[in-house]
Amino acid sequence: INITGSQQNPVKGVTIKDLVFRNAAYTYMAPHGVPSGGDWALQRSAAVIVEGTQDFLLSGCHFDRVDGNGFMLSGYNRNATVEDNEFSWIGDSAMLAWGYTNGIDGTAGDQPRGTRVLRNIVREIGMFQKQSSAWFQGRSAQTLIQNNIFFNGPRAGINFNDGFGGGSEIDANLLFNQCRESSDHGPFNSWDRLPFWTDVPGEPSLVPLYNEIHHNFFICNYGSSMCIDNDDGSAYYKLHDNFEVYGGHKSDFGGHNKFTYNSVVAYAKDYGEGLCGDFNSVIPGFVDGYWNNTCVQGVDTPYFDVDGDPNNPQNNTIGVMHDNRVYNPSGKLQISVGGQTLNIADWQAKGFDKGTQGFPMPSDDQIIAWGKAVLGM
């Protein structure tokens, strides 16, 4: 099914409901384009593709053994809803949103915005195309991804190919069994190598709205490197109240303004086992944050890795850290600063990471109870 309108003459109010789509041909050899600054190349096609719509609804459908992409929002779309669908044995990605820009200028508004992705089940995807996800977005903004279950995929379950506009929210989802055929990724992955000039924040700006990821249950198993992989310059994320199994806070290649707080991390992993997170050095005033988290390391190793000079740390580049509760076998807490391992008391004496404490390992029952509490279960 192909529904095509335009921003000037949109197709309004179409519903596709309670249909089965199956046995479509593979498309991985079809012409591809580059959605934006992330790793992906992509064909602009799917079993159901819509462009130039307002208030489109896809509900209660089953996509089974579709050997290309399942569903795509292409170009201008406003306030589409994708709810209560199942995707299984998909050749490429299950659901995608891919907009248009004039170079880095997205102020013409020719993108999916205000999309709602609700209560979908996605499993067994990427049968042919391994760079695939349950939900992908590039040059798209203000997406709500809520109450979905995504599992059994070769790469990230949710992939943001760029930081276009921001304002997206990922809430109350369950993701596990991702990166079954790859590594250096996680249940969620983002890149932000290319800035975009958008009017999503109101006045045109290169600075996007914050994306928010909260109250999710992420399990970083198989080849995943951490639960939330904010890679390659990813910026402007609020990451809070998540239960992450084998998770950690990632920051690299100039990434900044990513704040992890009020979360529970069980058996931390940020590439390295037991690492609750890392900060890279950034422009003064554009820092990450990590506070009021419960992090179970599982091994005795520095709980965080911070770039900078341990003998002359600068407040405006180190990042915001305080009041974390960290658990390991010895109950003693260390931090790595510029490659040098410091006891937490020595680091706190320099004025950093106030209120953070180390404790002996909790029981698994206690960890599960913390996870349930942070998810409101």
Side-chain angles (χ1 to χ4, degrees):
I1 294 178
N2 186 324
I3 299 172
T4 303
S6 67
Q7 185 171 352
Q8 295 72 30
N9 188 24
V11 179
K12 299 180 180 180
V14 172
T15 294
I16 298 176
K17 187 175 182 179
D18 298 336
L19 298 180
V20 175
F21 298 89
R22 61 179 303 160
N23 300 341
Y26 66 81
T27 59
Y28 59 83
M29 295 299 291
H32 279 53
V34 178
S36 55
D39 282 3
W40 281 45
L42 190 63
Q43 65 275 45
R44 200 178 283 272
S45 64
V48 176
I49 181 168
V50 301
E51 182 166 333
T53 73
Q54 294 177 0
D55 302 315
F56 172 82
L57 173 63
L58 179 72
S59 178
C61 295
H62 186 190
F63 292 74
D64 182 53
R65 299 190 184 275
V66 171
D67 286 347
N69 295 312
F71 170 73
M72 178 180 284
L73 294 165
S74 174
Y76 175 84
N77 290 277
R78 289 294 183 273
N79 304 320
T81 300
V82 187
E83 66 180 20
D84 301 315
N85 303 286
E86 182 178 353
F87 297 81
S88 57
W89 301 101
I90 304 299
D92 294 3
S93 291
M95 300 172 285
L96 311 96
W98 181 10
Y100 297 102
T101 60
N102 181 14
I104 70 167
D105 186 352
T107 56
D110 205 9
Q111 307 89 27
R113 301 189 189 183
T115 306
R116 303 194 312 156
V117 183
L118 311 174
R119 302 181 303 276
N120 300 283
I121 297 175
V122 180
R123 61 184 182 86
E124 276 73 42
I125 64 169
M127 308 311 295
F128 300 115
Q129 172 58 263
K130 302 309 174 183
Q131 190 79 288
S132 53
S133 290
W135 173 263
F136 166 91
Q137 69 180 52
R139 289 187 276 188
S140 305
Q142 297 169 300
T143 307
L144 173 63
I145 304 169
Q146 188 176 64
N147 293 325
N148 301 280
I149 300 175
F150 299 156
F151 63 101
N152 291 356
R155 205 76 172 115
I158 299 172
N159 190 80
F160 283 17
N161 209 57
D162 52 59
F164 181 94
S168 292
E169 182 180 0
I170 301 173
D171 169 35
N173 302 281
L174 170 62
L175 274 71
F176 61 98
N177 290 4
Q178 305 297 333
C179 295
R180 295 199 304 172
E181 301 176 67
S182 63
S183 61
D184 193 21
H185 239 32
F188 173 85
N189 180 77
S190 66
W191 294 292
D192 198 0
R193 301 168 181 151
L194 179 67
F196 284 101
W197 179 257
T198 84
D199 58 357
V200 174
E203 292 296 318
S205 176
L206 290 172
V207 179
L209 298 175
Y210 275 87
N211 293 312
E212 191 170 3
I213 302 177
H214 64 96
H215 293 96
N216 300 282
F217 185 6
F218 292 146
I219 302 176
C220 173
N221 55 344
Y222 283 92
S224 296
S225 300
M226 69 285 296
C227 286
I228 300 174
D229 189 349
N230 284 136
D231 202 7
D232 288 9
S234 294
Y236 301 103
Y237 279 84
K238 295 179 180 180
L239 316 168
H240 64 93
D241 296 282
N242 296 297
F243 183 29
E244 303 178 29
V245 180
Y246 313 118
H249 178 102
K250 179 179 176 179
S251 184
D252 64 0
F253 299 106
H256 60 86
N257 288 77
K258 302 185 302 298
F259 307 122
T260 297
Y261 53 96
N262 300 345
S263 291
V264 175
V265 177
Y267 300 99
K269 181 173 69 170
D270 177 10
Y271 290 115
E273 184 180 0
L275 188 63
C276 299
D278 69 283
F279 291 160
N280 65 179
S281 294
V282 295
I283 297 171
F286 292 87
V287 297
D288 280 8
Y290 191 85
W291 65 84
N292 199 36
N293 299 291
T294 298
C295 183
V296 180
Q297 291 186 272
V299 295
D300 285 308
T301 191
Y303 98 98
F304 225 87
D305 187 0
V306 178
D307 285 353
D309 182 354
N311 299 312
N312 186 30
Q314 301 299 312
N315 278 309
N316 59 353
T317 60
I318 288 295
V320 180
M321 300 179 71
H322 59 83
D323 296 301
N324 298 296
R325 299 162 298 281
V326 184
Y327 296 79
N328 57 41
S330 70
K332 299 177 181 179
L333 196 55
Q334 296 178 318
I335 188 168
S336 175
V337 182
Q340 181 177 329
T341 299
L342 303 176
N343 292 322
I344 194 64
D346 295 334
W347 184 236
Q348 290 172 338
K350 298 176 183 290
F352 298 95
D353 210 355
K354 294 288 190 178
T356 291
Q357 301 180 69
F359 302 94
M361 287 290 292
S363 68
D364 287 343
D365 287 344
Q366 180 62 71
I367 296 171
I368 292 170
W370 287 334
K372 287 183 175 181
V374 78
L375 296 177
M377 297 173 63

